[in-house]
PDB file of all heavy atoms in Angstrom:
ATOM      1  N   LYS A 812      74.504  99.965 190.091  1.00 97.00           N
ATOM      2  CA  LYS A 812      74.303  99.673 188.682  1.00 97.00           C
ATOM      3  C   LYS A 812      73.820 101.002 187.981  1.00 97.00           C
ATOM      4  O   LYS A 812      73.092 101.762 188.615  1.00 97.00           O
ATOM      5  CB  LYS A 812      73.260  98.629 188.446  1.00 97.00           C
ATOM      6  CG  LYS A 812      72.840  98.446 186.989  1.00 97.00           C
ATOM      7  CD  LYS A 812      71.715  97.381 186.849  1.00 97.00           C
ATOM      8  CE  LYS A 812      71.172  97.338 185.376  1.00 97.00           C
ATOM      9  NZ  LYS A 812      72.079  96.646 184.453  1.00 97.00           N
ATOM     10  N   ILE A 813      74.228 101.161 186.744  1.00 97.00           N
ATOM     11  CA  ILE A 813      73.691 102.188 185.887  1.00 97.00           C
ATOM     12  C   ILE A 813      73.075 101.564 184.726  1.00 97.00           C
ATOM     13  O   ILE A 813      73.660 100.735 184.049  1.00 97.00           O
ATOM     14  CB  ILE A 813      74.775 103.205 185.397  1.00 97.00           C
ATOM     15  CG1 ILE A 813      75.288 104.023 186.589  1.00 97.00           C
ATOM     16  CG2 ILE A 813      74.192 104.085 184.298  1.00 97.00           C
ATOM     17  CD1 ILE A 813      74.322 105.006 187.146  1.00 97.00           C
ATOM     18  N   ALA A 814      71.774 101.831 184.527  1.00 97.00           N
ATOM     19  CA  ALA A 814      71.022 101.380 183.326  1.00 97.00           C
ATOM     20  C   ALA A 814      70.676 102.604 182.522  1.00 97.00           C
ATOM     21  O   ALA A 814      69.976 103.475 183.005  1.00 97.00           O
ATOM     22  CB  ALA A 814      69.738 100.658 183.800  1.00 97.00           C
ATOM     23  N   PHE A 815      71.157 102.644 181.297  1.00 97.00           N
ATOM     24  CA  PHE A 815      70.976 103.794 180.501  1.00 97.00           C
ATOM     25  C   PHE A 815      70.399 103.387 179.141  1.00 97.00           C
ATOM     26  O   PHE A 815      70.816 102.460 178.473  1.00 97.00           O
ATOM     27  CB  PHE A 815      72.368 104.481 180.297  1.00 97.00           C
ATOM     28  CG  PHE A 815      72.339 105.584 179.251  1.00 97.00           C
ATOM     29  CD1 PHE A 815      71.835 106.826 179.595  1.00 97.00           C
ATOM     30  CD2 PHE A 815      72.780 105.437 177.991  1.00 97.00           C
ATOM     31  CE1 PHE A 815      71.821 107.943 178.700  1.00 97.00           C
ATOM     32  CE2 PHE A 815      72.804 106.508 177.019  1.00 97.00           C
ATOM     33  CZ  PHE A 815      72.318 107.728 177.428  1.00 97.00           C
ATOM     34  N   THR A 816      69.414 104.225 178.697  1.00 96.00           N
ATOM     35  CA  THR A 816      68.922 104.197 177.349  1.00 96.00           C
ATOM     36  C   THR A 816      69.070 105.551 176.692  1.00 96.00           C
ATOM     37  O   THR A 816      68.624 106.541 177.286  1.00 96.00           O
ATOM     38  CB  THR A 816      67.460 103.718 177.288  1.00 96.00           C
ATOM     39  OG1 THR A 816      67.301 102.397 177.772  1.00 96.00           O
ATOM     40  CG2 THR A 816      66.926 103.747 175.843  1.00 96.00           C
ATOM     41  N   GLY A 817      69.711 105.586 175.595  1.00 94.00           N
ATOM     42  CA  GLY A 817      69.961 106.916 174.977  1.00 94.00           C
ATOM     43  C   GLY A 817      70.918 106.775 173.798  1.00 94.00           C
ATOM     44  O   GLY A 817      71.017 105.714 173.208  1.00 94.00           O
ATOM     45  N   SER A 818      71.630 107.847 173.487  1.00 93.00           N
ATOM     46  CA  SER A 818      72.517 107.910 172.359  1.00 93.00           C
ATOM     47  C   SER A 818      73.819 107.069 172.625  1.00 93.00           C
ATOM     48  O   SER A 818      74.260 106.956 173.758  1.00 93.00           O
ATOM     49  CB  SER A 818      72.840 109.325 172.014  1.00 93.00           C
ATOM     50  OG  SER A 818      73.769 109.864 172.954  1.00 93.00           O
ATOM     51  N   THR A 819      74.403 106.653 171.495  1.00 94.00           N
ATOM     52  CA  THR A 819      75.685 105.934 171.610  1.00 94.00           C
ATOM     53  C   THR A 819      76.780 106.827 172.142  1.00 94.00           C
ATOM     54  O   THR A 819      77.654 106.417 172.933  1.00 94.00           O
ATOM     55  CB  THR A 819      76.051 105.417 170.251  1.00 94.00           C
ATOM     56  OG1 THR A 819      75.052 104.459 169.788  1.00 94.00           O
ATOM     57  CG2 THR A 819      77.442 104.670 170.242  1.00 94.00           C
ATOM     58  N   GLU A 820      76.707 108.088 171.733  1.00 94.00           N
ATOM     59  CA  GLU A 820      77.741 109.049 172.254  1.00 94.00           C
ATOM     60  C   GLU A 820      77.767 109.174 173.751  1.00 94.00           C
ATOM     61  O   GLU A 820      78.773 109.136 174.406  1.00 94.00           O
ATOM     62  CB  GLU A 820      77.513 110.414 171.631  1.00 94.00           C
ATOM     63  CG  GLU A 820      78.483 111.496 172.071  1.00 94.00           C
ATOM     64  CD  GLU A 820      78.070 112.850 171.522  1.00 94.00           C
ATOM     65  OE1 GLU A 820      77.073 113.009 170.849  1.00 94.00           O
ATOM     66  OE2 GLU A 820      78.795 113.863 171.884  1.00 94.00           O
ATOM     67  N   VAL A 821      76.584 109.308 174.375  1.00 95.00           N
ATOM     68  CA  VAL A 821      76.500 109.395 175.816  1.00 95.00           C
ATOM     69  C   VAL A 821      76.800 108.106 176.425  1.00 95.00           C
ATOM     70  O   VAL A 821      77.410 108.001 177.507  1.00 95.00           O
ATOM     71  CB  VAL A 821      75.066 109.871 176.221  1.00 95.00           C
ATOM     72  CG1 VAL A 821      74.911 109.910 177.750  1.00 95.00           C
ATOM     73  CG2 VAL A 821      74.824 111.287 175.678  1.00 95.00           C
ATOM     74  N   GLY A 822      76.408 106.976 175.826  1.00 95.00           N
ATOM     75  CA  GLY A 822      76.709 105.635 176.313  1.00 95.00           C
ATOM     76  C   GLY A 822      78.224 105.453 176.433  1.00 95.00           C
ATOM     77  O   GLY A 822      78.647 104.846 177.437  1.00 95.00           O
ATOM     78  N   ARG A 823      78.983 105.973 175.494  1.00 95.00           N
ATOM     79  CA  ARG A 823      80.416 105.848 175.598  1.00 95.00           C
ATOM     80  C   ARG A 823      81.001 106.624 176.853  1.00 95.00           C
ATOM     81  O   ARG A 823      81.846 106.164 177.544  1.00 95.00           O
ATOM     82  CB  ARG A 823      81.122 106.408 174.408  1.00 95.00           C
ATOM     83  CG  ARG A 823      81.154 105.449 173.174  1.00 95.00           C
ATOM     84  CD  ARG A 823      82.257 105.844 172.203  1.00 95.00           C
ATOM     85  NE  ARG A 823      82.178 104.998 171.061  1.00 95.00           N
ATOM     86  CZ  ARG A 823      81.476 105.219 169.925  1.00 95.00           C
ATOM     87  NH1 ARG A 823      80.694 106.290 169.913  1.00 95.00           N
ATOM     88  NH2 ARG A 823      81.431 104.313 168.944  1.00 95.00           N
ATOM     89  N   LYS A 824      80.404 107.826 177.001  1.00 96.00           N
ATOM     90  CA  LYS A 824      80.825 108.652 178.220  1.00 96.00           C
ATOM     91  C   LYS A 824      80.491 107.896 179.498  1.00 96.00           C
ATOM     92  O   LYS A 824      81.311 107.931 180.452  1.00 96.00           O
ATOM     93  CB  LYS A 824      80.166 109.969 178.115  1.00 96.00           C
ATOM     94  CG  LYS A 824      80.616 110.865 176.939  1.00 96.00           C
ATOM     95  CD  LYS A 824      79.872 112.167 176.907  1.00 96.00           C
ATOM     96  CE  LYS A 824      80.317 113.054 175.735  1.00 96.00           C
ATOM     97  NZ  LYS A 824      79.579 114.306 175.686  1.00 96.00           N
ATOM     98  N   ILE A 825      79.363 107.222 179.556  1.00 96.00           N
ATOM     99  CA  ILE A 825      79.002 106.527 180.794  1.00 96.00           C
ATOM    100  C   ILE A 825      79.951 105.299 180.984  1.00 96.00           C
ATOM    101  O   ILE A 825      80.359 105.058 182.091  1.00 96.00           O
ATOM    102  CB  ILE A 825      77.520 106.110 180.692  1.00 96.00           C
ATOM    103  CG1 ILE A 825      76.629 107.345 180.748  1.00 96.00           C
ATOM    104  CG2 ILE A 825      77.132 105.197 181.840  1.00 96.00           C
ATOM    105  CD1 ILE A 825      75.157 107.083 180.592  1.00 96.00           C
ATOM    106  N   ARG A 826      80.193 104.618 179.875  1.00 96.00           N
ATOM    107  CA  ARG A 826      81.165 103.471 180.057  1.00 96.00           C
ATOM    108  C   ARG A 826      82.518 103.990 180.561  1.00 96.00           C
ATOM    109  O   ARG A 826      83.098 103.276 181.399  1.00 96.00           O
ATOM    110  CB  ARG A 826      81.311 102.820 178.674  1.00 96.00           C
ATOM    111  CG  ARG A 826      82.446 101.790 178.544  1.00 96.00           C
ATOM    112  CD  ARG A 826      82.151 100.497 179.217  1.00 96.00           C
ATOM    113  NE  ARG A 826      82.280 100.516 180.683  1.00 96.00           N
ATOM    114  CZ  ARG A 826      82.024  99.501 181.481  1.00 96.00           C
ATOM    115  NH1 ARG A 826      81.714  98.349 180.958  1.00 96.00           N
ATOM    116  NH2 ARG A 826      82.106  99.661 182.806  1.00 96.00           N
ATOM    117  N   ASP A 827      82.936 105.076 180.025  1.00 95.00           N
ATOM    118  CA  ASP A 827      84.194 105.661 180.464  1.00 95.00           C
ATOM    119  C   ASP A 827      84.118 106.089 181.965  1.00 95.00           C
ATOM    120  O   ASP A 827      85.051 105.819 182.783  1.00 95.00           O
ATOM    121  CB  ASP A 827      84.613 106.880 179.603  1.00 95.00           C
ATOM    122  CG  ASP A 827      85.970 107.428 179.952  1.00 95.00           C
ATOM    123  OD1 ASP A 827      86.967 106.819 179.589  1.00 95.00           O
ATOM    124  OD2 ASP A 827      85.978 108.538 180.628  1.00 95.00           O
ATOM    125  N   ALA A 828      83.070 106.716 182.359  1.00 96.00           N
ATOM    126  CA  ALA A 828      82.903 107.274 183.706  1.00 96.00           C
ATOM    127  C   ALA A 828      82.789 106.195 184.737  1.00 96.00           C
ATOM    128  O   ALA A 828      83.203 106.344 185.907  1.00 96.00           O
ATOM    129  CB  ALA A 828      81.695 108.190 183.795  1.00 96.00           C
ATOM    130  N   THR A 829      82.217 105.015 184.365  1.00 96.00           N
ATOM    131  CA  THR A 829      82.009 103.948 185.387  1.00 96.00           C
ATOM    132  C   THR A 829      83.125 102.954 185.383  1.00 96.00           C
ATOM    133  O   THR A 829      83.139 102.065 186.198  1.00 96.00           O
ATOM    134  CB  THR A 829      80.672 103.186 185.061  1.00 96.00           C
ATOM    135  OG1 THR A 829      80.725 102.700 183.793  1.00 96.00           O
ATOM    136  CG2 THR A 829      79.471 104.140 185.248  1.00 96.00           C
ATOM    137  N   ALA A 830      84.108 103.097 184.478  1.00 95.00           N
ATOM    138  CA  ALA A 830      85.174 102.131 184.385  1.00 95.00           C
ATOM    139  C   ALA A 830      85.907 102.000 185.745  1.00 95.00           C
ATOM    140  O   ALA A 830      86.328 102.942 186.292  1.00 95.00           O
ATOM    141  CB  ALA A 830      86.148 102.509 183.268  1.00 95.00           C
ATOM    142  N   GLY A 831      86.089 100.736 186.157  1.00 93.00           N
ATOM    143  CA  GLY A 831      86.795 100.504 187.391  1.00 93.00           C
ATOM    144  C   GLY A 831      86.033 100.765 188.657  1.00 93.00           C
ATOM    145  O   GLY A 831      86.564 100.524 189.766  1.00 93.00           O
ATOM    146  N   SER A 832      84.809 101.195 188.559  1.00 94.00           N
ATOM    147  CA  SER A 832      84.062 101.516 189.757  1.00 94.00           C
ATOM    148  C   SER A 832      83.370 100.282 190.405  1.00 94.00           C
ATOM    149  O   SER A 832      82.924 100.324 191.520  1.00 94.00           O
ATOM    150  CB  SER A 832      82.951 102.546 189.426  1.00 94.00           C
ATOM    151  OG  SER A 832      82.023 102.005 188.517  1.00 94.00           O
TER     152      SER A 832
END
Side-chain angles (χ1 to χ4, degrees):
K812 174 185 173 72
I813 291 292
F815 172 77
T816 297
S818 71
T819 298
E820 177 186 0
V821 176
R823 279 201 183 89
K824 292 178 180 178
I825 292 174
R826 169 73 286 179
D827 184 76
T829 58
S832 65

